[in-house]
Amino acid sequence: MPELPEVEVVRAGLERALIGATVSAAEVFDGRSLKRHVSIAELSSGRVAAGHGKTLDPQTQQLRANDFVQRLTGATFLTPARRGKFMWIPLQPPEDRHQQAAGTAGGQPVQALLAHLAMSGQLLLRTPTAPEDKHVRIRLWVSTPAGEQLRLDFADQRRFGSLAIDSLIPTSDGKPAGWGTSDPLLPQQAAHIARDLLDPHCDFAQVAKTLKTKQTAIKKILLDQQLLSGVGNIYADEALWESQLHPETPAARIALSKLEMLLHNAAGVMAKALAEGGTSFDELYVNTAGEAGYFARSLQAYGRSGEACLRCGTTLTSSQAIGRTSHFCPHCQRKR
């Protein structure tokens, strides 16, 4: 699935094209892609249908689709932001834009378009006449400040991803919410997500101290988005290989200095992946132009089980011990 570097590549692509763009129309082809969206009618009645990972009934799908289209049409996109694997675009409603033109508007945005790509979600920028993308679930028609017309396709083969309009709430520490924004506001549905390792406000020393209190396997902890966000299976394996740590080692058994080194290695690996456009193994991850990333050619551990370790020459192996496939060197990363 897309991890931090891949989501950041998409965010940057949207930033270059969509700041100040206005949504002229929206189409929902598959209401299941609005599993995280909650309609105003649901909020008013206090009866919010379960939608996280569950199939919404057709009536709720249609209710949410109508609400999504109505609330998004006419809104203007501000600067896209990201925390971990969650990405959002703050929205300026039409009435605020008209007030601003008259010199009466002010304050910060209160809602955002929230996107979670999950396993196979894609946000693709196209010209209006471009060929149809596969598996399009939601489509937005936008007009840029320069007058260019664009099509933003949310495609998702496996339907685990979603779009939603969500309320923005203050960050718990009063600092900017994430990468790409200076506002201390983040979507309510992302409030439980920890800062990621590329966030300039992430405190590596404090995160290491928190990890040190855990008896859980270090690989499993790296994947816990409430402790640190953005790291998935690929970059966890890479960071552990760089740090010469076995994925099943309990975090509490690792020296504090070693844990902090691990975090810096994870950040370094993701920064390198970001520079190469992310990691693509198949057509499920592409950037906003539909292009693949090239970091797969630089992987040291992930997906290389049965091949020689590039550090010591030992044959790499894999394990399912913590419920996820881990790739590691049995010599360099001995289980102690």
Side-chain angles (χ1 to χ4, degrees):
M1 65 180 292
E3 300 178 27
L4 184 156
E6 291 75 42
V7 178
E8 176 54 29
V9 168
V10 174
R11 187 209 67 82
L14 297 178
E15 181 180 61
R16 288 190 292 269
L18 293 184
I19 295 178
T22 300
V23 181
S24 54
E27 299 174 275
V28 178
F29 305 120
D30 193 332
R32 289 170 291 186
S33 292
L34 292 174
K35 60 175 67 70
R36 291 180 180 272
H37 180 77
V38 179
S39 67
I40 292 177
E42 289 175 280
L43 290 173
S44 300
S45 66
R47 295 192 297 272
V48 178
H52 294 267
K54 299 183 179 180
T55 302
L56 297 169
D57 63 83
Q59 184 177 359
T60 302
Q61 288 185 39
Q62 190 59 54
L63 176 67
R64 291 187 177 185
N66 293 341
D67 179 87
F68 181 83
V69 169
Q70 182 177 0
R71 291 163 65 185
L72 198 55
T73 302
T76 297
F77 288 139
L78 303 180
T79 305
R82 178 195 54 73
R83 175 180 284 204
K85 304 174 189 178
F86 279 82
M87 176 171 45
W88 66 94
I89 309 177
L91 300 173
Q92 184 182 49
E95 58 268 24
D96 286 358
R97 189 169 66 254
H98 297 154
Q99 290 173 358
Q100 189 175 55
T104 59
Q108 296 174 310
V110 296
Q111 291 188 323
L113 175 64
L114 175 66
H116 193 276
L117 303 182
M119 293 292 292
S120 59
Q122 301 172 345
L123 284 167
L124 304 166
L125 286 167
R126 304 298 194 204
T127 61
T129 57
E132 284 288 317
D133 291 304
K134 295 180 180 179
H135 313 296
V136 175
R137 310 302 177 189
I138 298 173
R139 174 169 290 163
L140 307 181
W141 300 90
V142 300
S143 177
T144 70
E148 182 183 8
Q149 304 302 308
L150 293 174
R151 196 180 82 201
L152 178 60
D153 285 349
F154 176 68
D156 190 7
Q157 179 176 334
R158 299 183 181 177
R159 296 192 181 92
F160 293 139
S162 63
L163 297 184
I165 297 175
D166 197 19
S167 298
L168 292 169
I169 62 174
T171 56
S172 59
D173 55 11
K175 297 177 182 178
W179 193 281
T181 182
S182 59
D183 291 336
L185 299 170
L186 78 167
Q188 190 169 10
Q189 294 184 46
H192 65 292
I193 299 298
R195 292 189 179 276
D196 63 64
L197 297 176
L198 296 188
D199 188 325
H201 298 285
C202 180
D203 187 338
F204 281 52
Q206 186 56 52
V207 174
K209 289 178 182 178
T210 301
L211 300 188
K212 182 67 176 173
T213 66
K214 307 296 181 182
Q215 295 292 339
T216 311
I218 186 61
K219 167 75 177 282
K220 191 171 184 178
I221 287 179
L222 287 176
L223 302 178
D224 187 341
Q225 304 298 297
Q226 297 185 50
L227 294 176
L228 66 154
S229 64
V231 181
N233 218 29
I234 297 173
Y235 301 112
D237 280 357
E238 292 298 295
L240 290 167
W241 183 88
E242 289 276 358
S243 306
Q244 298 186 47
L245 286 170
H246 193 284
E248 296 167 34
T249 305
R253 300 281 298 276
I254 304 172
L256 192 60
S257 60
K258 188 83 168 179
L259 287 171
E260 195 163 346
M261 181 189 72
L262 170 63
L263 297 177
H264 282 285
N265 285 340
V269 167
M270 290 191 291
K272 291 176 184 176
L274 179 57
E276 295 191 33
T279 303
S280 296
F281 292 108
D282 50 36
E283 62 180 7
L284 295 185
Y285 163 67
V286 293
N287 64 19
T288 55
E291 300 165 339
Y294 297 101
F295 191 67
R297 300 178 301 188
S298 303
L299 294 173
Q300 310 287 333
Y302 183 85
R304 297 191 63 245
S305 179
E307 299 179 35
C309 174
L310 298 177
R311 183 167 45 220
C312 72
T314 303
T315 302
L316 298 180
T317 187
S318 61
S319 168
Q320 295 275 353
I322 59 171
R324 301 289 294 272
T325 301
S326 297
H327 306 83
F328 59 93
C329 174
H331 177 73
C332 294
Q333 299 169 260
R334 292 177 185 172
K335 187 176 182 181
R336 304 182 188 278

